[in-house]
Amino acid sequence: MKSPSQIADSESDQHTAEVPYRVHFYENCSQSPASRLVPQAMIEIKEIEGRGFHDRPHASPIFTGPCVAAIDEDGRAIGLILYCGEEIWTIYLSYVVLEHRRKHIHTALFKALRDKGLQQGNIVSIDCSTHVNNLAAQAAFEAQGRTKEYITYTYPLKDRRDGKGPTAEEMRMPEYLVERFDTGSDTLKFMQAFINKKAAEGYALHQAIERSTYQWVLIFKRADQA
């Protein structure tokens, strides 16, 4: 008899050929291998908040909701998306362990969730939110085909960073830059020239996301923060 942590929606189980993991859906995240990732994800979220990147509440996400997870060959979770809702699915938490990032795992999980919603037939949309300064996440979401529809405004009555405001240099030079880039036929030559130009301005390439044959989203990070 299978334990609760082994019970998954087997009809949604998917093999992923590019890297050795499988995509599983679980009705209860707290009873799945993905539950072990949540504490580390929350630690990293708090670190992001400390840099002014995120306004996510400090309360823990709903562990008992459904999730989709990437499970490696040893049965360990290496990424997850936690979501809930009926006609609209809201993503509460998404996370990929550090050593498996930039391998398209998050995109594979989101596509699996999208496909499940399409197959189910009654799902209107899949929604999520992030901080306005989290440009890396925004670029990743747009590369996955998501669109920006709402902007939330806030009026803080107290400094949430304990008075540690940005320096004058930080105000002048944002930590991240997101650039959409059309390469033409000579992809590497023109892209490298553009990267070199940004390096001269004090930015290092953080991530490159391919949207089509000649269209890329390039995410740069301040060299002193890389």
Side-chain angles (χ1 to χ4, degrees), residues 15-179:
H15 295 268
T16 305
E18 291 78 6
V19 289
Y21 69 88
R22 296 162 66 92
V23 174
H24 290 267
F25 282 86
Y26 297 91
E27 294 182 1
N28 188 330
C29 182
S30 68
Q31 297 178 354
S32 76
S35 63
R36 74 174 188 86
L37 299 182
V38 176
Q40 180 60 34
M42 296 305 296
I43 289 173
E44 294 193 19
I45 286 171
K46 290 182 180 179
E47 291 175 349
I48 291 173
E49 286 178 340
R51 296 196 300 271
F53 264 60
H54 216 292
D55 283 335
R56 186 187 297 269
H58 288 278
S60 297
I62 303 172
F63 292 96
T64 57
C67 72
V68 54
I71 308 297
D72 69 12
E73 294 176 312
D74 297 322
R76 297 173 300 188
I78 58 176
L80 89 161
I81 291 179
L82 181 63
Y83 65 100
C84 73
E86 296 181 0
E87 293 185 353
I88 297 176
W89 283 344
T90 299
I91 295 175
Y92 280 92
L93 180 68
S94 57
Y95 180 75
V96 176
V97 298
L98 181 61
E99 60 268 30
H100 291 288
R101 293 174 188 173
R102 302 187 188 180
K103 298 179 182 178
H104 309 292
I105 292 174
H106 181 265
T107 295
L109 292 174
F110 178 76
K111 287 182 177 179
L113 184 61
R114 176 202 63 190
D115 292 345
K116 182 180 179 69
L118 290 171
Q119 292 170 7
Q120 190 164 312
N122 66 323
I123 305 303
V124 176
S125 67
I126 301 173
D127 297 347
C128 69
S129 62
T130 190
H131 193 277
V132 65
N133 291 333
N134 196 346
L135 301 179
Q138 293 173 39
F141 296 160
E142 291 182 15
Q144 293 167 0
R146 309 192 209 184
T147 58
K148 185 187 298 182
E149 293 187 349
Y150 300 99
I151 300 175
T152 300
Y153 288 88
T154 184
Y155 191 97
L157 300 178
K158 185 177 180 180
D159 191 341
R160 282 172 282 187
R161 296 194 296 167
D162 299 324
K164 298 179 180 179
T167 64
E169 178 62 24
E170 289 173 336
M171 290 291 288
R172 290 192 297 269
M173 187 176 180
E175 186 172 359
Y176 284 92
L177 285 179
V178 178
E179 300 281 357

